[in-house]
Amino acid sequence: MKASWLGLSLLSLLAVPTWATPSDSESEEDNNLVKRWGFTNVVDPDTPSVFNGLDVPPLFQLTEENFEEATKDGTWIVKHYSPSCHHCQKAAPYYQTAYEYYYTSNPLAPSSAKSPDPKSANGFTAYFNFHFASLNCLAHGDLCSKLGVLSYPTFAFYDNGVQSDPHVGVQSIPVLSKLIEEKLESIKPGSRPPQGVKLPEVGAAGVDSTAEPDSPVAKDKDIEAGIKAGEKQNELVSQKAADEAAAKGKTDSKTKSKPPPAPANPQGISVPLTAESFQKLVTTTQDSWFIKFYAPWCGHCQAMAPNWKAMAKEMKDTLNIGEVNCEVESRLCQDARVDAFPTIYFFRGGQRVEYTGLRGLGDLLSYTNKAIGVGSSIEDVDAHTFKELEETEEVLFLYFYDQATTSEDFKAMERLTLSLVGHARIVKTSSAALADRFKISTWPRLLVVREGRPNYYNALAPKDMRDFRQVLSWMQTVWLPILPELTASNAREIMEGKFVVLGILSRRRSDDFKQSRRELKEAAFEWMDKQIQLFRLERSELRDAKQLRIEEADDRDDQRALRAAKNMRITIREDDKKAVGFAWVDGDFWERWLRTTYGIDVENGDRVIINDDDNRRYWDTASSGAPIMASRTSILETIPLVISSPPKLSPKSTVGTIETFFFFTRSFLNAHPILFFILLGLTVAVAAIFGRGRLLRRGVGRGGILGNSNNGGGFFHLDGKEGLLNGGSTGKVD
């Protein structure tokens, strides 16, 4: 299994599932919509509604199959949205109410006071040949990408299948109505009331269309032209009705639109996949799949099987679940680079990300719920929405863009959404208020916000913003919270490659627990501020040194030295500096592991250690010899003594003497392989020389290898004719 020493220790204990709680920030408007339509703004209602006493059919849903055929005739306003988009959820009731209002409105007023049947030729839809529709970009990402939809929600008009006038982020009925009124006026000039229209409240079941508008609009419209247009329409009704009656018999023979695609995982099972079905269902589609690669003999796979089956059942109609038997499909597993069992991947649109969390039912469901909530595009936020997100999210990546940001830049960022599942959330913005808050002066720009503190991704060139691996590598260094809780699933990520200030706390002492966490977090903030100051100081010193070289070369009139000085790049390498991280662990839950590894019992009070997992050592005492306490002063005084080279405080080992020897040997081999083999060769050579010397000394005492010192025998005897083997006293050879 691929697990660190800490991960193996923690995984041996019971994992506690994480339970999600619903948001408390539900608006009154949302509650009204739930009562009336029975949905929560995530998708459009699929049942008819009633407005002004007239039946209104469900909003037309566009798909890849019916889009071209539906929009090729007339004018369409289409809402492009993602169910996971916060702004889309807010815009849903506005759009639904506007649709109901216009669908039941009287397009012939004031020439006709009576509202016509919406389905008749004098109804709003037929009169203007104007239609409302929605397009779910989470389900039909390829189509939205083809249409150039980069943000949600986007409202666009389609005139005979050609897109025009896209608008992003319409968040009220008046704004939406203004766009529609301008479009209707362009279709039939003079047909719309010059003072505007009386609009309904969000979620209302009707409105007095003859009443004066709340905010009259002065427009240059010809009332007489509108009346004449209405009269002309009446003249065309009879002819159109006759044409429709003649064509009625032919409609049944027309090809019907293809049904919408079937929901994911309709049976609620984990589908066994072969190489062929994997290629057909996963690799070449945009569908999301959560797949485990296993071996029947693997004990961990067998232990996980019940939870995997239960998770697949919970994901019915939501997410495709699959499994691959690597004993049968060895080539497929080899291509997927599966080298341990079980290995779990989340696939979408040809991309994949490995799931490395715990395998309890709660852990699997928590991950899959987050994974399906990630849309194909990044949510667009304003300053108010971002403030709300900061209250619920510990880590937020924020991407700033402007009018000059290219589609290539957006696509580079959208590739990151899958890798961030289970770690952090990324949103984008063009808000001037947020740009002012974070002092953004160049676009595009990427930063991470943790506890209100920004950390910026430094892109030296535009191509660095599109370098997927480089951006993701930076994200991986900052996607943990300032003070994360150490668990079995994140132990390796937190502990490896850095010094970790680990607070061992007890939840049973509520006041002490809150105070200790606060002290640890404040210590982390102060340490980060100190590192930023040291970085700026070092950079300033390097700049001063460069400027000094330029001035010296200029004084000597040494053009070669001057060019070399000007071409010097100021680079501060952080690779050789081991970072310092902060975390805390539940001392009650991990009591046995903490006692056996660090010899600490949380019953004696909250404690702090500084752990160096790479070298299997830790420090639990300050320079005074007293234990490190959960206080800023004690922590910040001890850190410099620990991270200095060599450490000024004596460490303790987390492993035994024999394991320490083998660990030191392995670490030395990894760090200095050439020197290791040189020392190994010298050791073997010295051992060989010493051993040969002992053999030679033993040979001389016996008279040689074949002879005897007492009878004059030896390897060669040159005095007589004995030859090579005739070294005996008899002078004969048998």
Side-chain angles (χ1 to χ4, degrees), residues 189-191 222-230:
S191 61
D222 188 350
I223 300 178
E224 294 182 359
I227 295 175
K228 291 180 180 179

Side-chain angles (χ1 to χ4, degrees), residues 149-177:
V149 177
L150 301 177
S151 303
Y152 304 136
T154 293
F155 297 84
F157 291 99
Y158 292 84
D159 297 316
N160 298 322
V162 179
Q163 186 189 106
S164 63
D165 303 330
H167 300 271
V168 179
V170 176
Q171 291 293 331
S172 67
I173 291 182
V175 175
L176 185 60
S177 176

Side-chain angles (χ1 to χ4, degrees), residues 274-336:
T274 63
E276 293 75 15
S277 60
F278 189 93
Q279 178 75 13
K280 179 181 178 181
L281 300 175
V282 181
T283 307
T284 60
T285 70
Q286 294 294 322
D287 297 337
S288 297
W289 282 84
F290 197 42
I291 301 175
K292 72 170 180 178
F293 296 81
Y294 73 100
W297 46 263
C298 166
H300 294 282
C301 304
Q302 297 168 6
M304 188 185 76
N307 290 336
W308 186 263
K309 182 178 180 181
M311 180 268 298
K313 186 176 181 180
E314 290 290 331
M315 287 292 106
K316 181 180 179 181
D317 297 331
T318 305
L319 177 64
N320 294 308
I321 308 297
E323 56 188 56
V324 176
N325 185 344
C326 290
E327 286 290 288
V328 178
E329 302 294 337
S330 57
R331 179 60 184 273
L332 175 58
C333 295
Q334 182 180 355
D335 293 341

Side-chain angles (χ1 to χ4, degrees), residues 630-648:
S631 70
R632 284 174 290 176
T633 303
S634 180
I635 293 170
L636 294 174
E637 286 179 351
T638 308
I639 291 177
L641 303 178
V642 169
I643 67 175
S644 61
S645 184
K648 296 180 180 179

